[in-house]
Amino acid sequence: MRLALSWLTVLPVRVDDVDRRVARRAITAAPLVGVLLGAVAAVVLLGLSALGAPPLLAGLLVVGGLGLATRGMHLDGLADTADGLGCYGPPERALAVMRDGGAGPFGVVALIVVLGAEAVALGAVSWGAVVLALTAGRAAFVLCCARGVPAARPEGLGALVAGSQSTGVVVAWWLALAAAGALVDPWRGPLGVALAAAVVLVLVGHTRRRFGGVTGDVLGAACEAATLCVLVVCSFG
């Protein structure tokens, strides 16, 4: 849990001697970090609403706050993955684009659409949906690292955690999310969770074909995609 907090938040938690066994446990615990972030985001949203902030303004402020709380790592992964998938050439070329560090046109568009949609949806959903969405985003890490999913590179975060999660752990987390979603909303909650899982599976399958496996950037993109799916579905109606 300490490593998960160190990786996924700005909390000053230090962990030494990180090996694959510790990394595997950190990925398994990642959804708990989502619960923490979701609870904080929900409290901030409720506070801003009580102060009379317009819903869209409150949503934008929370999106910005979450970016700061996570060092923008997931957003960087989203932009890099979009640029990598959008470029032409072999996997080596796509991975080089992702390593470049700059945001290309595909990355910019992905950030605008995802952050804008998240902000709008955050201003329209219940606090339970906020917690559910951010937890689902971190559960996307577990799904991306399911057994049998290879790493695209021999080094980096992807190589450390790819294929580290058993099928039982993956299924248990997503079934728990579906059950929690039913408590948030009888049909929108489970539907949002199911859509999030489907989108992450499609992303992982596509990146395996395009890059040869997953990277740390793909994990970040999956996190943002899953979060957005739950928020959007829960905001309808």
Side-chain angles (χ1 to χ4, degrees):
M1 190 61 195
R2 290 177 60 217
L3 180 58
L5 289 169
S6 174
W7 275 351
L8 304 178
T9 72
V10 294
L11 293 176
V13 180
R14 181 176 176 178
V15 180
D16 298 318
D17 301 324
V18 176
D19 57 19
R20 185 169 173 83
R21 179 182 61 85
V22 178
R24 171 177 57 81
R25 293 180 177 178
I27 293 297
T28 302
L32 298 177
V33 179
V35 175
L36 174 63
L37 291 170
V40 173
V43 169
V44 173
L45 273 173
L46 291 173
L48 291 170
S49 178
L51 292 173
L56 179 56
L57 175 60
L60 283 169
L61 291 175
V62 169
V63 165
L66 287 170
L68 292 175
T70 58
R71 300 191 189 94
M73 290 185 298
H74 312 324
L75 300 177
D76 179 68
L78 172 65
D80 287 344
T81 301
D83 284 331
L85 292 174
C87 78
Y88 293 101
E92 295 77 14
R93 167 62 177 161
L95 291 171
V97 168
M98 294 169 68
R99 270 196 301 262
D100 181 67
F106 288 101
V108 171
V109 171
L111 287 173
I112 291 173
V113 172
V114 171
L115 292 178
E118 285 182 353
V120 173
L122 279 169
V125 298
S126 67
W127 67 267
V130 175
V131 178
L132 179 68
L134 292 176
T135 306
R138 279 69 196 169
F141 297 145
V142 181
L143 188 51
C144 287
C145 299
R147 189 167 294 163
V149 178
R153 301 189 186 105
E155 75 285 336
L157 178 61
L160 187 62
V161 300
S164 64
Q165 303 300 299
S166 68
T167 302
V169 168
V170 175
V171 172
W173 265 122
W174 283 90
L175 285 179
L177 283 171
L183 297 176
V184 172
D185 185 282
W187 70 270
R188 291 186 186 89
L191 179 60
V193 170
L195 178 62
V199 168
V200 173
L201 285 172
V202 170
L203 176 64
V204 171
H206 188 44
T207 54
R208 287 185 68 174
R209 291 188 297 272
R210 187 70 181 88
F211 308 145
V214 297
T215 67
D217 286 332
V218 172
L219 267 63
C223 174
E224 292 297 329
T227 300
L228 178 63
C229 287
V230 176
L231 286 175
V232 167
V233 172
C234 290
S235 70
F236 274 78

